[in-house]
Amino acid sequence: MAGLHQSRGPINKLMAFCTDPSLGNMGYAEKIFDFIQEPSLFIYNVMLKALAKQGSFKRVVWLFNRLRVVGLWPDNFTYPYVLKAIGSLGDVQEGRKVHGIVIKTGLEFDTYVCNSLIDMYAQLGEVQFFTKLFEEMPQRDSVSWNVMISAYVKCRRFGDAIDLFRCMRVESKEKPTEATIVSTLSACTALKDIELGKDIHDYVRNNLDFTVRINNALLDMYAKCGFLIDARKIFDEMPMKNVICWTSLVSGYVHYNKLDEARELFERSPFKDVVLWTVMINGYVQHNCFDEAISLFQEMQRQRVKADRFTVVSLLTGCAQLGVLEQGKWIHGYINEHGIKIDAVVGTALIEMYGKCGCIDESLEIFEGIRDKDTASWTSIICGLAMNGQANKALEFFSEMKRVGINPDYITFIGVLSACSHAGLVEDGRRYFHSMTTLYNIEPKLEHYGCLIDLFGRAGLLHEAEEFIEKIPNDNIETIIPLYGALLSACRIHGNVEMGERVARRLADIESSDSSVHMLLANIYASADRWEDMTKVRRNMNNLRVRKVPGCSSVEINSFVC
């Protein structure tokens, strides 16, 4: 190696070879780099590129800062790798600092660098920054439009992505490429904009080749929008299929409750990764076919496919829905045995499962063990405590949640209001309900109104409950039938026949198929010895072909739900 560091040509070639991911050796490249006394900017750029490609993003930022210390000025080949690393690290402060250096080096309007800045700010979620950058670009190439559309998609600004795509076609000389099509179809999928999706399909048919990426994006769009025949046609015509297209179509069948078609396709797939297994298992869970979900999970183990956190979360959700504790414990054991990290996502599923199975102490233990608790984790424990009769403790947790700076969501308030209802805390319930809009900008949903009606009903405040229902904004009277049902139930409990009759008159003209409402109305009349009116309600049920839904329950026997 003596004197080699002074020979620019050979050392450049050697570094390029060593950093080649298919031929070289990155460890050896770093040793050579450390040996060179005065590495050129080219050498730094080669190292930055190699480190970024292998995901060593902190090392990229460190090396970039070292480059500046030794007196070298970055060029337009340096910044894209550095900006990619910063975006991947999510370091907003570092991103703005490097943006300032870009301006100082006079490369702010270099198209290549500007495109990379837009992509970095998109990864950081800084919409205002990347929008301004794009608007101020003196020149835009096709990559600029593609990066910008992709940036909006990354930040879930799907409408803006579609608007920009339309603007590109009208105002720009640049034609949509494969990258443009794939990003825009993602926005169409998110917004269920099937008309634009079909227009893009026609554009591809007339102007581009149906590549694997484009076919996958079109198939996913049609499947998620419910156009399964179109999705299947694309699938059948694809000359090359990968696990992505198999997964998209199976997922489409699952979502629209075509489980037989989904399973048939699943069995045919030559590619079965953990995602595809999870999609099929989750489909069974979503449609209450829990035994099939467990059976498929067991087959997954026999095939030696290692489950991930999404697989176990899906199964735990099924256990929570059915209250099957033994299965839930078995899955918890699987999580521990296979080293699946109990993060906020898995922990929340465990908290919910144990809470709904009546094991609130286990829920509390899991909750305390989660390092980075998020809104869902706090919400799950609050709802679990409320459900298991520990209303005051649920409200204590809610206060602690706010103290540590975690904002509640609309589900959190269902748990909070439910706790107030079970504990009879009327004033607290009113206060929490109003804080939803005044403090957290959360629009109350039917479930929140229902909790408050239940609270008033339990406390015997029937007139306040009735007035509250009258003030609820609604476009369809059918939406508040459950609230009248809760009020009717309270009237029956408190023996308020007069209000029961008044509420009954409000419901008389509603042809509801909810048997519980009709039965409550009949019981109100029965409690007042109004047998003729009760008979009329029963007769009306027959005329409307409303049948009392029979009760049912499930029991867990030898790990199967019966």
Side-chain angles (χ1 to χ4, degrees):
M1 294 285 289
L4 185 61
H5 61 282
Q6 298 175 355
S7 305
R8 284 287 174 89
I11 201 70
N12 287 351
K13 291 179 181 179
L14 181 60
M15 286 295 294
F17 174 83
C18 289
T19 56
D20 187 312
S22 60
L23 301 172
N25 183 313
M26 195 60 197
Y28 188 57
E30 293 206 51
K31 287 181 181 178
I32 297 172
F33 179 80
D34 292 336
F35 180 79
I36 302 170
Q37 290 181 3
E38 295 181 1
S40 66
L41 180 60
F42 174 84
I43 296 294
Y44 270 99
N45 286 345
V46 166
M47 283 296 293
L48 289 167
K49 177 181 178 181
L51 290 167
K53 284 191 173 182
Q54 73 173 23
S56 300
F57 301 124
K58 288 184 179 179
R59 183 106 169 114
V60 169
V61 176
W62 176 86
L63 195 62
F64 173 73
N65 289 326
R66 178 180 164 182
L67 177 154
R68 294 173 51 242
V69 169
V70 300
L72 292 173
W73 283 98
D75 62 10
N76 60 349
F77 291 103
T78 313
Y79 286 112
Y81 307 115
V82 177
L83 295 171
K84 175 187 176 183
I86 293 170
S88 299
L89 292 170
D91 193 335
V92 176
Q93 186 176 356
E94 188 70 26
R96 291 177 182 172
K97 185 180 82 173
V98 174
H99 188 180
I101 298 169
V102 169
I103 295 172
K104 288 180 181 178
T105 53
L107 291 171
E108 183 181 13
F109 298 115
D110 180 273
T111 304
Y112 190 42
V113 175
C114 198
N115 290 342
S116 299
L117 279 167
I118 291 171
D119 189 56
M120 179 197 72
Y121 279 124
Q123 287 182 281
L124 298 173
E126 298 283 331
V127 178
Q128 184 177 358
F129 278 90
F130 69 69
T131 301
K132 185 176 178 181
L133 275 168
F134 182 78
E135 289 173 349
E136 292 180 352
M137 286 181 75
Q139 290 184 328
R140 300 169 185 160
D141 58 11
S142 62
V143 176
S144 307
W145 289 94
N146 293 342
V147 168
M148 191 63 188
I149 292 170
S150 176
Y152 278 133
V153 171
K154 285 177 183 175
C155 295
R156 304 189 65 78
R157 300 282 287 264
F158 303 116
D160 290 331
I162 287 174
D163 289 343
L164 192 63
F165 172 76
R166 291 189 168 118
C167 180
M168 176 185 183
R169 297 198 65 183
V170 172
E171 298 180 8
S172 169
K173 295 180 181 179
E174 304 293 342
K175 300 296 182 184
T177 64
E178 177 189 74
T180 326
I181 297 303
V182 170
S183 293
T184 309
L185 283 173
S186 294
C188 293
T189 302
L191 297 179
K192 299 292 190 290
D193 191 341
I194 191 65
E195 293 307 316
L196 178 57
K198 288 180 176 179
D199 287 344
I200 292 173
H201 193 174
D202 288 338
Y203 173 85
V204 174
R205 189 180 289 115
N206 296 322
N207 298 276
L208 296 173
D209 294 327
F210 283 99
T211 64
V212 172
R213 287 186 67 207
I214 288 176
N215 275 328
N216 283 340
L218 283 167
L219 190 157
D220 190 57
M221 184 269 298
Y222 281 120
K224 287 181 177 173
C225 291
F227 288 72
L228 298 178
I229 294 175
D230 299 89
R232 186 59 182 260
K233 186 174 186 295
I234 291 172
F235 177 85
D236 290 338
E237 292 176 354
M238 288 176 69
M240 293 181 60
K241 297 180 177 68
N242 56 22
V243 70
I244 296 173
C245 64
W246 288 90
T247 303
S248 292
L249 193 54
V250 170
S251 181
Y253 282 133
V254 160
H255 183 76
Y256 290 96
N257 200 16
K258 295 182 178 294
L259 295 182
D260 291 340
E261 291 92 332
R263 184 59 183 267
E264 183 270 334
L265 199 67
F266 172 83
E267 294 295 344
R268 280 180 48 207
S269 174
F271 317 99
K272 290 190 181 75
D273 62 3
V274 64
V275 177
L276 184 54
W277 282 93
T278 301
V279 165
M280 195 66 236
I281 289 169
N282 191 48
Y284 282 130
V285 171
Q286 286 179 359
H287 298 288
N288 301 314
C289 301
F290 192 64
D291 288 343
E292 288 85 346
I294 289 293
S295 177
L296 191 59
F297 179 65
Q298 292 169 343
E299 177 62 24
M300 181 181 178
Q301 302 315 298
R302 286 192 289 270
Q303 297 293 330
R304 300 187 180 278
V305 179
K306 185 178 179 181
D308 63 12
R309 62 178 184 153
F310 299 106
T311 319
V312 296
V313 164
S314 179
L315 290 167
L316 288 169
T317 301
C319 293
Q321 290 171 352
L322 294 174
V324 285
L325 179 60
E326 291 307 312
Q327 282 284 10
K329 285 182 175 179
W330 181 80
I331 295 166
H332 189 181
Y334 178 93
I335 290 169
N336 292 332
E337 182 182 345
H338 290 81
I340 297 175
K341 183 181 177 182
I342 300 181
D343 57 9
V345 176
V346 176
T348 297
L350 282 166
I351 292 167
E352 183 182 18
M353 183 276 294
Y354 279 120
K356 288 187 175 179
C357 290
C359 300
I360 193 62
D361 289 340
E362 284 80 356
S363 291
L364 286 165
E365 185 179 347
I366 296 292
F367 178 80
E368 294 301 332
I370 299 174
R371 178 174 296 179
D372 298 314
K373 301 177 180 70
D374 59 9
T375 297
S377 308
W378 284 94
T379 296
S380 188
I381 195 66
I382 289 168
C383 291
L385 288 164
M387 185 187 306
N388 284 274
Q390 298 191 31
N392 289 324
K393 195 164 188 176
L395 297 179
E396 289 174 12
F397 270 72
F398 181 60
S399 297
E400 179 65 12
M401 175 185 182
K402 293 187 293 181
R403 190 190 69 77
V404 300
I406 304 295
N407 285 327
D409 60 14
Y410 79 96
I411 301 175
T412 316
F413 278 101
I414 293 174
V416 169
L417 293 172
S418 177
C420 291
S421 177
H422 285 94
L425 303 173
V426 176
E427 289 304 319
D428 286 332
R430 287 196 188 101
R431 179 165 53 85
Y432 287 129
F433 182 84
H434 290 300
S435 73
M436 289 176 62
T437 51
T438 57
L439 296 181
Y440 300 102
N441 198 30
I442 298 173
E443 192 67 29
K445 298 181 182 292
L446 190 64
E447 296 91 337
H448 303 109
Y449 290 113
C451 288
L452 214 58
I453 296 299
D454 186 59
L455 170 60
F456 293 151
R458 286 171 183 257
L461 302 174
L462 303 185
H463 289 287
E464 186 171 353
E466 185 179 25
E467 291 173 2
F468 189 72
I469 295 176
E470 293 297 319
K471 293 177 183 178
I472 296 174
N474 67 88
D475 299 323
N476 184 353
I477 191 66
E478 288 268 1
T479 61
I480 61 171
I481 284 177
L483 303 183
Y484 277 120
L487 181 56
L488 276 173
S489 182
C491 290
R492 183 188 177 196
I493 292 169
H494 292 283
N496 192 326
V497 178
E498 179 186 350
M499 181 177 289
E501 288 182 292
R502 185 163 62 250
V503 174
R505 284 194 294 271
R506 294 184 185 278
L507 292 171
D509 296 329
I510 301 176
E511 295 186 358
S512 171
S513 60
D514 188 343
S515 63
S516 63
V517 171
H518 294 278
M519 291 305 299
L520 275 170
L521 185 55
N523 290 336
I524 289 285
Y525 282 130
S527 66
D529 294 330
R530 300 276 292 273
W531 304 108
E532 185 177 342
D533 290 324
M534 187 196 77
T535 303
K536 287 180 180 178
V537 173
R538 295 279 191 172
R539 189 180 301 122
N540 190 40
M541 287 179 67
N542 290 331
N543 292 337
L544 294 173
R545 297 184 178 180
V546 175
R547 295 288 181 269
K548 184 176 182 299
V549 179
C552 65
S553 59
S554 60
V555 62
E556 189 178 8
I557 302 174
N558 295 328
S559 299
F560 286 93
V561 181
C562 306

